[in-house]
Amino acid sequence: MTGTGSTRADGVYQRLRRDILGGRLVPGERLKFPELSRRYETSVGAAREALTRLVADGFVRTQSNLGFSVMPLSHEDLAELTYARLEIESLVLRLSVRDGDMDWESAAVAAHHRLKRTQFLAQDDADHPTDAWSAAHAAFHTALLAGCRNHRLLATATGLREEAELYLQWSISFGREPDRDLTGEHQALLDAAVARDADRAAELLRDHIAHTAQLLISVATDEPNKAGPSGAAPRNVGT
C-alpha cells in the first residue's frame, strides 16, 4: 500500500478504535464495509487494513461467513479473566511490595505522579479516557508490579492486564459511576505499597480489579455464569 494509503488506513484505525472504546460501536456489533466506508469516508481497502489491526489488538474479531464484528462482551470470558487477575496480580503485587528495592519504589511514586497529573477525559470526547491517561494508568499498575523478582509470574500478570485493556476501557464507557474515586483508589494502592504493607496492597488491588467486572455485567452479551470459573465466583464482580 502507498504511503498515502497507509496514512488513510491509520486514520481509520484510530477512529474505529476510539469508537469501540467509547461504546459508539457496541460489543458484538457487525462491522460491514459499505457502512464503514460511508461512516469514515474511506475505501474498503483502508477499512479492511484497519480492521485487521484491530483484530490483532483484540478489539475486533472475524468469523467465517460473518465477517468482522466488535469483540463481544462475554460474562464467561469476563469472569475467567477477572478470576485469573484477582489471584495472579494480587500475588505478584504482594511479592513486589515485599521484594521491591528503592528504585522500584521511586518508579512507582513517579508513575503515580504522572497518572495523577494526566487529564482523564478529553473535552471533545467524554465517553472514554484520553490515550495519555490510559497509558499513564497502565504504566502505574506496571510499575507497582515491577518489583516482583519472579519473572514468569510477572510476565503472566502483565499479559493478563494487557488482555483486560478493552474491558478496562469499556468499564468507564458503559459503567457510568460518577461517584467512584479512582484517584483515591490509586493513592491508597501506592500508599500501601510504599508502606510495605503487602497484605493491604493485595486486598486493595483485588477490590480495584473486581470493580471493573461489576460495572460491565449489565452490558455483557451472553448469559451470566453465576458460579464463575472453577466454581469460584469473583469477589464483588476496576481498573
Side-chain angles (χ1 to χ4, degrees):
M1 178 174 286
T2 66
T4 300
S6 297
T7 301
R8 185 180 301 113
D10 187 63
V12 176
Y13 164 81
Q14 294 295 343
R15 292 176 64 191
L16 269 166
R17 184 176 183 276
R18 285 196 298 267
D19 284 347
I20 291 171
L21 292 175
R24 289 178 289 277
L25 294 171
V26 300
E29 181 174 345
R30 292 278 301 278
L31 300 171
K32 301 177 182 179
F33 288 115
E35 295 172 4
L36 293 176
S37 296
R38 288 193 297 271
R39 179 170 183 158
Y40 299 106
E41 299 179 336
T42 191
S43 66
V44 170
R48 183 181 297 278
E49 181 178 335
L51 289 175
T52 299
R53 290 176 60 186
L54 288 164
V55 169
D57 291 344
F59 291 1
V60 169
R61 70 174 180 178
T62 182
Q63 296 175 285
S64 298
N65 302 320
L66 293 177
F68 294 92
S69 60
V70 178
M71 187 64 68
L73 204 170
S74 161
H75 276 285
E76 183 175 5
D77 183 60
L78 179 59
E80 289 182 355
L81 182 57
T82 301
Y83 184 75
R85 292 185 63 211
L86 287 173
E87 298 303 315
I88 295 173
E89 278 194 55
S90 61
L91 170 61
V92 170
L93 180 59
R94 188 185 300 275
L95 295 173
S96 184
V97 171
R98 187 191 72 182
D99 299 334
D101 57 16
M102 186 64 70
D103 288 340
W104 162 78
E105 186 176 310
S106 299
V109 170
H112 177 263
H113 179 75
R114 179 176 292 276
L115 174 62
K116 191 173 181 179
R117 293 298 185 91
T118 301
Q119 185 175 352
F120 181 42
L121 298 174
Q123 292 182 347
D124 61 347
D125 187 359
D127 290 325
H128 77 281
T130 64
D131 289 343
W133 186 91
S134 294
H137 180 247
F140 171 63
H141 280 278
T142 298
L144 284 178
L145 300 177
C148 176
R149 297 178 184 176
N150 186 314
H151 298 297
R152 290 182 182 275
L153 281 173
L154 180 58
T156 300
T158 301
L160 288 170
R161 278 205 62 82
E162 292 174 352
E163 189 176 346
E165 182 60 29
L166 183 56
Y167 284 157
L168 301 183
Q169 296 279 350
W170 275 346
S171 73
I172 297 169
S173 298
F174 295 123
R176 303 295 184 184
E177 197 177 34
D179 296 331
R180 186 181 185 187
D181 184 10
L182 269 176
T183 300
E185 290 178 29
H186 291 137
Q187 183 69 60
L189 272 169
L190 179 70
D191 291 345
V194 170
R196 303 300 173 132
D197 189 341
D199 290 341
R200 176 63 173 161
E203 179 184 4
L204 288 170
L205 183 61
R206 289 178 69 93
D207 290 341
H208 194 60
I209 291 170
H211 205 107
T212 296
Q214 185 61 51
L215 291 174
L216 289 173
I217 289 296
S218 63
V219 292
T221 50
D222 62 2
E223 291 300 317
N225 179 355
K226 295 181 181 179
S230 303
R235 292 173 53 194
N236 301 333
V237 198
T239 56

